[in-house]
């Protein structure tokens, strides 16, 4: 019951800040300034490998230097938040607790970030869920996030990737297995839509980057000129 009311309210932009439920984030269901202040946003120099905070002296951050990590196939990466504290709960709500309205505040921050980093994508492509998972959840959180980002950037969003194997959930796997798991997990539908295009690939969380790696390679195989990666949070 409350779920339905919340969705109606979200649709008409009547919701206040989705975190504190009282603050005013500027009308459009955005985070209010007080909540935004408390969230662990990534600022300063970013690692080009993952879009997280840059902590090293080499080309990429320490998390991107692990033995299982392949050379990143994208041109640039950006992540809005560190995946901890309240952001962890927020992403969890977005994925598992039927709160699709979180796509809006996250998408707006994501689009802002993409603009500030001078990525110039022609097209947004979300990392898909397997259709069975999508059916159970009712929506693909990365798809909704991508739609808001695309709208804000004034470009199109196409869900042209399809998951062909119902791989084990990445979160349940050890690091090495995470890299083996998603290879060939994606199939590009309609390559004509990505051919010659600069793609912004979006997902909710950047963990090892293995899933994004597999998705990006499939887009590049299909003729995309380059891929940028945007995630809501970096684990
Ligand atoms: Zn708030
Ligand atoms: Zn990194």
């Amino acid at each position: 019951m409350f779920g339905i009311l919340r969705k109606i309210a979200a649709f008409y932009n009547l919701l206040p800040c989705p975190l504190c439920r009282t603050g005013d984030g500027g009308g459009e269901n955005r985070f209010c300034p007080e909540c935004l202040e408390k969230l662990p946003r990534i600022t300063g120099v970013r690692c080009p490998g993952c879009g997280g905070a840059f902590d090293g002296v080499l080309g990429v951050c320490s998390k991107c230097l692990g033995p299982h990590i392949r050379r990143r196939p994208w041109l640039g990466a950006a992540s809005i938040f560190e995946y901890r504290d309240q952001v962890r709960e927020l992403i969890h709500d977005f994925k598992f607790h039927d709160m699709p309205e979180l796509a809006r505040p996250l998408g707006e921050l994501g689009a802002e970030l993409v603009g500030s980093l001078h990525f110039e994508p022609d097209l947004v492509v979300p990392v898909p869920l397997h259709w069975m998972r999508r059916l159970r959840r009712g929506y693909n959180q990365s798809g909704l996030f991508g739609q808001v980002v695309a709208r804000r950037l004034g470009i199109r969003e196409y869900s042209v990737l399809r998951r062909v194997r119902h791989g084990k959930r990445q979160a349940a796997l050890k690091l090495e297995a995470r890299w083996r798991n998603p290879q060939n997990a994606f199939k590009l539908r309609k390559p004509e839509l990505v051919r010659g295009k600069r793609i912004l690939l979006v997902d909710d969380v950047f963990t090892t980057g293995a899933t994004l790696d597999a998705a990006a390679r499939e887009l590049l195989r299909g003729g995309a000129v380059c891929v940028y990666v945007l995630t809501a949070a970096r684990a």
Side-chain angles (χ1 to χ4, degrees):
M1 179 62 192
F2 285 113
I4 294 167
L5 285 178
R6 207 182 55 226
K7 270 176 208 158
I8 294 168
F11 184 79
Y12 289 106
N13 290 342
L14 297 174
L15 275 188
C17 168
L19 288 181
C20 62
R21 309 240 169 239
T22 50
D24 182 358
E28 283 196 326
N29 191 26
R30 295 185 213 177
F31 302 124
C32 72
E34 289 74 28
C35 285
L36 196 53
E37 181 73 23
K38 282 184 230 152
L39 294 174
R41 245 169 127 168
I42 297 168
T43 53
V45 182
R46 277 161 200 279
C47 166
C50 65
F54 186 71
D55 62 354
V57 286
L58 296 166
V60 290
C61 79
S62 54
K63 289 179 198 158
C64 283
L65 283 173
H68 307 299
I69 294 177
R70 296 208 281 174
R71 200 177 166 282
R72 309 291 197 190
W74 41 81
L75 266 193
S79 198
I80 308 168
F81 296 113
E82 309 266 7
Y83 187 57
R84 59 179 166 88
D85 312 327
Q86 216 174 357
V87 169
R88 191 185 281 269
E89 289 165 36
L90 192 143
I91 300 278
H92 199 81
D93 284 344
F94 188 26
K95 286 168 84 155
F96 304 116
H97 294 156
D98 195 24
M99 287 186 69
E101 65 270 28
L102 283 169
R104 181 143 43 195
L106 292 173
E108 300 216 346
L109 291 171
E112 238 173 68
L113 182 57
V114 167
S116 73
L117 293 172
H118 306 290
F119 293 173
E120 286 178 350
D122 303 307
L123 197 64
V124 171
V125 174
V127 169
L129 292 177
H130 187 270
W131 67 267
M132 283 199 317
R133 197 166 287 151
R134 161 80 175 69
L135 197 69
R136 243 179 283 142
R137 196 169 295 174
Y139 58 92
N140 171 16
Q141 70 282 350
S142 301
L144 298 179
F145 175 50
Q147 281 164 25
V148 179
V149 172
R151 208 180 310 137
R152 271 287 169 185
L153 292 174
I155 57 178
R156 302 292 297 270
E157 178 266 347
Y158 290 130
S159 298
V160 285
L161 288 174
R162 197 161 52 89
R163 245 182 227 256
V164 285
R165 285 190 308 130
H166 191 57
K168 291 211 174 84
R169 275 188 59 222
Q170 286 291 89
L173 297 172
K174 288 210 171 73
L175 192 61
E176 210 184 322
R178 280 190 178 211
W179 278 96
R180 278 199 311 268
N181 189 41
Q183 303 308 323
N184 307 316
F186 299 101
K187 184 104 193 73
L188 181 63
R189 299 181 293 152
K190 303 191 182 169
E192 66 275 14
L193 291 178
V194 307
R195 201 170 296 137
K197 296 284 192 328
R198 294 165 295 189
I199 312 288
L200 182 68
L201 181 62
V202 301
D203 204 1
D204 46 12
V205 181
F206 192 116
T207 309
T208 61
T211 302
L212 286 155
D213 179 283
R217 286 176 198 274
E218 180 63 12
L219 291 168
L220 292 167
R221 259 195 300 275
V225 172
C226 63
V227 175
Y228 301 98
V229 163
L230 172 70
T231 50
R234 167 65 164 128

